[in-house]
Amino acid sequence: QGVGEWLQAHQLADNARLLEQMQVDNGWQLAVEMVLGEYLQAVCVDDIGRLGSYLGSLEQGNLLLVESYAEQKPAPGLLASRVRSGGRADALLAGIHAADDLSQAMRQRSSLAPHESIITRDGIWMGSNWLRVARLSSGDTGVIQRREELELLATNLDVQQQQEAQLSLELQESEDALKKLEGQRQECQLALQAATRAASSCQALWHI
């Protein structure tokens, strides 16, 4: 509540969260989520320095802010190369290598500098003298993958709604055309009736 009120007071409540500004290569969502953790909910801002003087008014809560800056292309072997975030996540992912599996990570572990670490696709994260593993419950997916799935569902829904609108328009046009044809049919029927009456009158005069 304290953080929410602080963000509201400084017109930051509607700012995007880091999670919303990221695109992660398929298969690496869990690894990125393991590393970033609660930073996925960091509030994206233009200038952290400008907000420094306001931090004294935040009396309780856990505030995470992240700036955007010029995105650089990380080396292919780094986890940051698997992420597009407009530069926002680059510093948080700095020094973290990416390994396809545990055996590759173990082979590279001995060459890691103290500030470096390596993480596998399935989220096994280790440094030169530490290791961390976190497993999801059966059937669960991480928040990054869920967000991507929701975005895909939203896109599909938008496409379906557009198709529905198009079909509704075509249905309305068909109904209008049918009404027009029905009107023409009635006009033809009235004309036929009038012609029939005229023919009957002519026949009656002929017999006279």
Side-chain angles (χ1 to χ4, degrees), residues 94-188:
I96 303 176
H97 298 262
D100 289 327
D101 52 42
L102 181 58
S103 61
Q104 180 186 350
M106 286 295 187
R107 288 194 303 271
Q108 297 180 12
R109 175 173 170 264
S110 60
S111 62
L112 293 174
H115 66 282
E116 293 180 321
S117 60
I118 188 166
I119 191 166
T120 65
R121 279 178 177 266
D122 57 352
I124 301 176
W125 190 15
M126 66 184 74
S128 57
N129 68 337
W130 56 269
L131 183 145
R132 180 184 176 189
V133 181
R135 299 297 190 194
L136 297 173
S137 301
S138 178
D140 284 349
T141 58
V143 293
I144 296 177
Q145 185 174 344
R146 285 201 300 272
R147 179 188 64 84
E148 292 174 348
E149 290 171 350
L150 287 173
E151 287 182 348
L152 180 59
L153 288 173
T155 300
N156 291 339
L157 178 61
D158 185 55
V159 170
Q160 291 175 359
Q161 288 175 336
Q162 292 178 11
Q163 292 175 342
E164 181 184 6
Q166 180 63 31
L167 290 172
S168 296
L169 178 61
E170 292 174 358
L171 176 61
Q172 184 62 51
E173 291 174 348
S174 297
E175 290 177 345
D176 292 342
L178 181 62
K179 289 179 181 178
K180 184 177 181 180
L181 290 173
E182 177 64 21
Q184 293 174 350
R185 186 189 68 81
Q186 291 178 356
E187 290 175 359
C188 290

